[in-house]
Amino acid sequence: MANDKSFLPWSETPEPTPLKIDTSVPHPARVYDYWLGGKDNFEADRKVAEATRAASPGVVQGAKDNRAFLGRAVRFIAEQGIRQFLDIGTGIPTQGNTHEVAQGVIPEAKIVYVDNDPIVMNHARALLRGTPEGKTTYIEADLRDPESILRHPDVLATLDFDEPIAIVIVGTLMFIQDDEDPFGIVKRYADAVTAGSYLAISHVTADFEPEAVGASAKAYNTGPTFFTPRTGAEITRFFDGFELVEPGMVAVFDWHPDDDPFRDTRLAGAYGAVGRKL
């Protein structure tokens, strides 16, 4: 087994054959990257991003709020002693990545990143380097196919499913349509982890700003990628079998907020919550 490279993290394996990236089709990870001020996006992504921003200017701040929630949620979970993280729909690396936050609290923390955009894998191989004590792995897979993730050899070589794991699905579930059974998908991940594990989710909603979010959805949903805002009650369903930690299901910027007196809290477009499996 010592010579079986399939069980080593990507940072220890040979570089793969270059992946084909269809730059003519927008991808949520690259649209999100554009809103965050990144450079790893293409004309198709920018077209959708700008149309959405024109319809709902608060969407850029919403993307930043979502990213900040990720960091606070991961830090909180690591502070509870959780050493393993499965980050699904990770997006293009930027500041405050899950492994940086988690390993900043627990240097030996182990993180698996999952995304279905080949450009994310290219950047992950170059940028997602963890601490010597910990382990950071990336696989290309789709949230919609839990078995391909839960049974992936790199996942099984990195995470111990007999110990608590944090499942992180931030800013992704709104891209799973109702007829794709998003609740059943999340339940499959939840069923795979032991009691004491955590689930962190953020999700777009129209509960706070129905007109702005409705305009955003109308502008965004003009191509092959669609997002579905959901209500707080619907999003709470993802946490069946989990106990929400304080303050429960709230606007993302109100979940364990940083002390920022200048933060404009009038524009709320997403819920954030963290739960502990019973």
Side-chain angles (χ1 to χ4, degrees):
M1 186 66 70
N3 294 322
D4 186 352
K5 295 296 184 181
S6 68
F7 282 87
L8 293 176
W10 56 258
S11 59
E12 301 174 35
T13 57
E15 287 297 314
T17 302
L19 298 164
K20 182 178 180 180
I21 300 169
D22 187 352
T23 62
S24 68
V25 178
H27 190 282
R30 300 194 299 263
V31 174
Y32 188 55
D33 173 73
Y34 179 77
W35 286 333
L36 292 176
K39 307 289 186 184
D40 300 301
N41 46 75
F42 302 96
E43 181 61 29
D45 309 305
R46 293 190 285 271
K47 183 177 180 180
V48 170
E50 284 296 344
T52 307
R53 178 162 66 174
S56 179
V59 71
V60 174
Q61 182 61 53
K64 294 177 180 178
D65 290 339
N66 188 70
R67 187 70 187 182
F69 165 78
L70 168 68
R72 297 195 307 275
V74 169
R75 184 181 307 111
F76 170 86
I77 294 170
E79 288 172 348
Q80 311 314 303
I82 302 300
R83 301 167 179 266
Q84 305 186 104
F85 292 79
L86 177 59
D87 185 340
I88 308 174
T90 180
I92 295 168
T94 184
Q95 292 183 344
N97 299 297
T98 295
H99 75 286
E100 294 170 326
V101 177
Q103 292 176 349
V105 178
I106 302 177
E108 62 270 28
K110 298 178 180 180
I111 293 87
V112 172
Y113 288 107
V114 182
D115 205 286
N116 67 350
D117 183 2
I119 197 172
V120 178
M121 173 173 274
N122 288 350
H123 286 278
R125 290 181 178 274
L127 299 176
L128 296 180
R129 305 294 180 175
T131 59
E133 304 95 322
K135 188 173 183 180
T136 305
T137 302
Y138 179 87
I139 68 168
E140 185 181 350
D142 197 303
L143 167 68
R144 298 172 181 83
D145 187 1
E147 300 309 317
S148 71
I149 295 171
L150 296 171
R151 296 182 180 180
H152 194 287
D154 288 350
V155 174
L156 297 176
T158 303
L159 304 179
D160 180 357
F161 282 82
D162 291 327
E163 297 293 329
I165 294 172
I167 304 168
V168 179
I169 313 179
V170 169
T172 304
L173 286 168
M174 56 269 203
F175 298 108
I176 310 300
Q177 304 304 304
D178 289 340
D179 60 6
E180 296 175 298
D181 190 18
F183 303 104
I185 290 171
V186 172
K187 185 177 186 303
R188 179 65 190 93
Y189 293 110
D191 287 346
V193 298
T194 188
S197 294
Y198 282 79
L199 175 63
I201 288 175
S202 67
H203 195 299
V204 169
T205 184
D207 283 3
F208 305 111
E209 299 285 340
E211 292 185 6
V213 173
S216 176
K218 184 177 180 180
Y220 196 103
N221 296 346
T222 56
T225 302
F226 292 81
F227 80 81
T228 301
R230 293 188 170 96
T231 67
E234 289 173 320
I235 299 166
T236 299
R237 285 184 57 195
F238 290 118
F239 290 92
D240 285 352
F242 290 78
E243 180 181 20
L244 293 182
V245 303
E246 293 294 336
M249 180 81 63
V250 295
V252 286
F253 48 68
D254 280 335
W255 196 91
H256 291 234
D258 293 328
D259 185 16
D260 182 1
F262 301 104
R263 173 67 184 92
D264 185 351
T265 59
R266 291 174 298 175
L267 298 174
Y271 281 111
V274 173
R276 184 177 185 274
K277 187 173 181 180
L278 301 172

